[in-house]
Amino acid sequence: MGLFRRRPRRDGRETPRDPAFGYFSADEGARFRTLVREAFAERGLEVTVYADTVTDSAGRRFGLTNLAAVLHHDDRGRRAWPDLVHQHVGMVLRTMDEPSALDTLSTEQIRSQLYPRIVGADAFEAENFGYARSPAPGLYEIIALDLPESVMMLTDDALRPLGDLRYLREQALYNLRGLPVESHETIRGEAGMRFEVVVGDSFYTASRLLALENVVRETTGEELTPDGALVAVPFRHQLAFHVIRDASVVPALNAMASFAATGYVDAPGAISPCVYWWHGGRLTGLSARDEDGEGLRIVVGEEFQAVLERLVGGV
C-alpha cells in the first residue's frame, strides 16, 4: 500500500466519463462491468448489472464501489483488472456461502478477533449500529470481526450475545494495540512542515487513531505533548499525524488538509477528507467541506485558536 498512489496510464480525462464512477472513462466502465458479469458467470451465477451494483436471481445485491476504487488505484493498470475482479468476486461468494463465523467460532475466538473500526458517515447505516460512537463529526467507531478473507462489521444483534459492550470495546482496543505498524513515512516541506503517515494493507490502519499514543511512540520514539496532535484518516489504509510542539503546526495543518482531501477522493474504504485535532483523547474538526461539497476550508475554534496564539503568536 503506497503512500502516494501512482496513477496508471489510462484513458484521458477528455474522453467521455462513466456515469457512476467518474474516474473511469465510459469504455473503462463498460469493461469493468463486463469483467464483473463474467466473473460471476464463471461461478454459475447470472447477474443483472447496474451502474454501481449487481443482483442475482435470489435477490442478493453486491456493491461495486469498493471494487471499482481498487481497480482505479492499482498501479498496474487495466492488465490487472481481470485477476482483481476474479479474486474479489470469489471472496465475496465464499463469504456469503459459508456458515456465519458467529455460528462456528467460540465466543473466546470471536473476542480475540475483534477490532474497532473507524468508518465515515457516507458508509455508515446508523439503524443497525445503535451502539456506535461518534468520536468526531463525520466519523463513527464500530466493532468488527476480523476473518481470513473478510471483515464483518458487527450490528447490535450480533454483539448482544458476546457480552458487555464496554468489555468488548476494551478487548477490541487491546487487539488493535497489538497490531504491527506495517509502514511509516515522514513527509517534509517548506517552513519546517512535517507530518507522519502510517500506511498498511490492514483494514484497521486508520482505526489506529484510537490508540494514537501507541502509534506515535512506536513510529517516532516520542510522546504526545499536552497540546496533542493533528490527525487525518483519508481512507482505511492510511493514518496521518503531526505532534503539536511549535509553530510548525501551521504549515502542517495546511499540508495535511490538502493531503487528506486528495487521499479521500475515490479511495477504497474512504473515511474522511478532513483534519482533526486530537487532544486529551478527544477529536475536534479543523477542516470542513464547503457547502457546495466541492472544496474544504480550515475551521479553527476558540480552543485551538488559543493554542495557535501561544505557539505562533497573533495568528
Side-chain angles (χ1 to χ4, degrees), residues 163-184:
D164 177 73
L165 177 60
R166 181 179 300 180
Y167 169 78
L168 294 176
R169 181 172 185 267
E170 290 175 354
Q171 179 66 50
L173 286 169
Y174 174 81
N175 295 339
L176 180 73
R177 294 187 186 100
L179 291 177
V181 171
E182 296 179 56
S183 181
H184 160 239

Side-chain angles (χ1 to χ4, degrees), residues 25-48:
S25 69
D27 287 344
E28 289 169 340
R31 174 60 176 159
F32 165 58
R33 294 178 184 87
T34 296
L35 290 171
V36 170
R37 181 186 291 110
E38 291 174 349
F40 276 100
E42 289 173 4
R43 290 162 175 80
L45 278 180
E46 293 298 324
V47 295
T48 302

Side-chain angles (χ1 to χ4, degrees), residues 184 192-197 212-213 215-231 240-250 252-253 256 276-278 304 307 311:
H184 160 239
M193 191 285 294
R194 170 178 174 164
F195 63 92
E196 315 296 327
V197 183
L212 189 64
E213 300 101 322
V215 175
V216 170
R217 190 179 304 117
E218 186 173 351
T219 55
T220 70
E222 301 174 345
E223 300 290 337
L224 283 169
T225 68
D227 289 325
L230 306 177
V231 295
F241 67 88
H242 167 85
V243 178
I244 300 173
R245 302 185 186 281
D246 51 36
S248 66
V249 64
V250 175
L253 174 56
M256 287 180 64
Y276 300 89
W277 175 31
W278 188 102
F304 190 71
V307 173
L311 294 175

Side-chain angles (χ1 to χ4, degrees), residues 92-133:
V92 168
L93 291 178
R94 285 193 299 274
T95 300
M96 296 191 71
D97 291 340
E98 291 174 353
S100 171
L102 296 174
D103 296 326
T104 59
L105 297 178
S106 69
T107 299
E108 287 307 310
Q109 284 178 300
I110 292 173
R111 289 172 177 169
S112 70
Q113 296 170 215
L114 295 180
Y115 293 89
R117 186 168 177 191
I118 294 294
V119 297
D122 292 342
F124 183 67
E125 299 177 358
E127 63 272 16
N128 296 318
F129 299 89
Y131 71 89
R133 298 172 65 249

Side-chain angles (χ1 to χ4, degrees), residues 133-172:
R133 298 172 65 249
S134 181
L139 300 181
Y140 291 91
E141 176 195 339
I142 60 176
I143 296 176
L145 175 61
D146 191 62
L147 300 169
E149 287 193 315
S150 63
V151 171
M152 182 186 297
M153 297 193 294
L154 299 180
T155 63
D156 297 315
D157 291 341
L159 279 179
R160 197 168 292 115
L162 300 178
D164 177 73
L165 177 60
R166 181 179 300 180
Y167 169 78
L168 294 176
R169 181 172 185 267
E170 290 175 354
Q171 179 66 50

